[in-house]
Amino acid sequence: MPQNYKFSDSELLYLLTTNDKKEIDNLYKRARDLTKKVYSNKIYIRGLIEISNYCKQGCFYCGINRDNRSIKRFRLTKDQILRQADFGYSVGFRTVVLQGGEDPLLGDDFFAEIISKIKDKYKDMRITLSIGVREHESYDRLRKAGADRFLLRHESANEEVFNKIHPKDQNLSSRIEALKYMKSLGYQIGTGFMVEAPYTCTKTHIEDIKLIRDIRPQMIGIGPFISHKDTKFRNFKNGTSNLTTRLISILRIENPNALIPSTTALNTIDENGRIKGILSGANVIMPNLSPSFAKDNYTLYDNKKVTGLESAFGLKKLDDLLKEYGYEIAIDPGDYKGE
Ligand code: SAM
């Protein structure tokens, strides 16, 4: 396995701020070469199922936050989720990601039943959960039911920023604690942050990189902040693909074995974002596997790109596109290749 390189603070400051195109291209190439060393030219796909947009949290950046009275709320039934998982398996997905707001009506029994049904039926299917901060017993129970991975972004490693983008009932330390606890249970854990979210700056993104060094997650998900018209942050500027791709490369070089998605947010902000993410060192794509009414109402930010390659029907097209750049989709659970 390649050694983990750690950048100094001054290297990070330089890489995140320089306008020297040659240096940036070198950064992308170094990250890309490293990804290929570990994962070859294979891109892992995860089928994202958006299970509910009810949420008890009030994150100021997020379009499905509890205070948004303008969106149409939905919650998938168990059968609807299982049907999407069946469909996903039939077209080649070997991981489904169940993501949703922190919906008080979706308890452990609900998830445990879905997880065990999917795992009983498909031995080579992995299940990733992305359902927010929960009680320890809940993480325990869902791991025992068969969940393999859990995504929980720290959002910002800078406590002051974290507290400015979340209401008082949330804190950074409980997210970090939850991640560490889940790691101890044997989950593959994923963390990450929004790039250029309100109140962040180069210095706070360097703190994000360092927190990830400390947590050592198997998955790292980052995407640009994109404003949502019905949130408190509606007038803040969107993040950029330029900084997001540099950060992907830096994170790849520091975490050679990590599973790093080229995110929907990156593809929303930049029409070639998906490929730019791959060319800067990402190795995972998460096509949307939700029923269309869920896709339409799971609006975390404005103008979410949900057509064409975002759809599972577009997998063949996605593979063709990747092949133009020397990559291909792997029909594989896509587990972490580190120790
Ligand atoms: N509720 C779960 C949680 O908090 O982990 C999962 C769903 S949450 C909506 C998934 C991710 O969406 C968050 O971790 C956040 O980084 C991202 N997100 C939310 N609003 C966003 C925005 N306006 N721009 C970009 N990303 C956003």
Side-chain angles (χ1 to χ4, degrees):
M1 287 293 167
Q3 286 299 303
N4 294 12
Y5 179 83
K6 299 296 172 220
F7 291 100
S8 66
D9 283 15
S10 56
E11 282 177 308
L12 290 175
L13 186 63
Y14 175 74
L15 290 170
L16 293 175
T17 54
T18 182
N19 290 320
D20 185 333
K21 195 174 167 314
K22 227 174 106 195
E23 285 285 354
I24 302 167
D25 285 344
N26 281 341
L27 174 72
Y28 292 151
K29 182 169 184 317
R30 186 173 159 196
R32 203 160 59 226
D33 289 349
L34 201 47
T35 315
K36 285 200 172 155
K37 212 178 249 179
V38 182
Y39 288 103
S40 168
N41 68 337
K42 302 285 187 281
I43 301 300
Y44 295 137
I45 48 168
R46 321 299 197 194
L48 178 69
I49 308 179
E50 295 156 331
I51 54 171
S52 167
N53 68 355
Y54 284 91
C55 193
K56 65 178 185 198
Q57 300 295 359
C59 309
F60 299 143
Y61 45 85
C62 185
I64 65 167
N65 80 72
R66 65 189 173 214
D67 301 310
N68 185 0
R69 308 262 174 265
S70 312
I71 59 164
K72 205 165 138 202
R73 301 281 172 177
F74 73 89
R75 175 183 298 120
L76 300 191
T77 63
K78 285 179 205 156
D79 281 348
Q80 283 170 323
I81 297 172
L82 293 170
R83 221 175 300 137
Q84 297 311 116
D86 284 339
F87 170 72
Y89 192 89
S90 75
V91 296
F93 287 97
R94 295 296 176 267
T95 294
V96 281
V97 180
L98 307 184
Q99 186 180 93
E102 292 189 23
D103 182 340
L105 294 196
L106 298 186
D108 295 341
D109 290 344
F110 178 91
F111 286 110
E113 187 181 330
I114 294 169
I115 294 166
S116 45
K117 280 197 167 143
I118 297 176
K119 297 289 284 199
D120 283 349
K121 197 160 175 187
Y122 306 113
K123 300 292 172 220
D124 57 343
M125 185 75 125
R126 302 285 186 269
I127 298 181
T128 304
L129 299 175
S130 173
I131 49 176
V133 177
R134 299 173 80 86
E135 300 292 331
H136 278 193
E137 302 78 66
S138 172
Y139 292 136
D140 257 318
R141 166 109 194 267
L142 303 182
R143 175 80 186 122
K144 285 195 184 110
D148 303 281
R149 310 185 184 127
F150 204 108
L151 304 174
L152 183 67
R153 290 182 176 182
H154 64 268
E155 310 296 1
S156 175
N158 179 288
E159 207 155 2
E160 220 170 283
V161 172
F162 186 97
N163 292 337
K164 280 184 168 165
I165 64 175
H166 296 100
K168 286 198 171 48
D169 54 4
Q170 291 192 53
N171 60 75
L172 176 60
S173 54
S174 43
R175 284 197 194 210
I176 297 174
E177 198 277 326
L179 283 160
K180 291 187 172 164
Y181 182 69
M182 285 189 277
K183 202 177 198 189
S184 77
L185 295 178
Y187 281 98
Q188 293 174 37
I189 56 160
T191 193
F193 55 94
M194 283 173 295
V195 177
E196 295 168 289
Y199 310 110
T200 60
C201 60
T202 309
K203 179 182 151 282
T204 65
H205 285 324
I206 293 177
E207 292 174 49
D208 290 318
I209 295 166
K210 290 179 165 176
L211 177 60
I212 288 173
R213 278 180 204 165
D214 178 40
I215 296 176
R216 301 179 65 236
Q218 287 90 356
M219 302 171 285
I220 306 169
I222 66 167
F225 160 76
I226 304 175
S227 69
H228 184 291
K229 61 180 180 3
D230 301 318
T231 62
K232 198 170 158 167
F233 290 163
R234 66 180 67 84
N235 293 324
F236 278 86
K237 262 192 13 218
N238 291 340
T240 60
S241 63
N242 183 329
L243 195 65
T244 306
T245 49
R246 291 183 201 204
L247 282 160
I248 289 176
S249 291
I250 289 167
L251 290 164
R252 165 61 64 205
I253 293 165
E254 291 212 353
N255 306 273
N257 304 312
L259 296 155
I260 303 181
S262 181
T263 56
T264 303
L266 177 58
N267 205 39
T268 297
I269 212 72
D270 182 323
E271 64 174 340
N272 203 24
R274 174 143 289 170
I275 288 299
K276 286 188 183 171
I278 298 294
L279 296 179
S280 55
N283 66 326
V284 172
I285 289 181
M286 296 167 63
N288 200 311
L289 203 53
S290 313
S292 59
F293 68 92
K295 253 184 233 174
D296 294 346
N297 294 299
Y298 195 78
T299 43
L300 309 180
Y301 42 78
D302 288 337
N303 305 316
K304 178 179 122 185
K305 220 182 200 175
V306 286
T307 51
L309 295 181
E310 279 294 317
S311 140
F313 301 102
L315 267 193
K316 166 83 176 68
K317 263 161 78 187
L318 175 59
D319 195 45
D320 290 345
L321 176 69
L322 289 170
K323 284 196 168 114
E324 284 177 35
Y325 294 86
Y327 293 88
E328 62 184 11
I329 287 177
I331 306 294
D332 186 297
D335 284 319
Y336 179 68
K337 291 223 167 118
E339 70 294 341

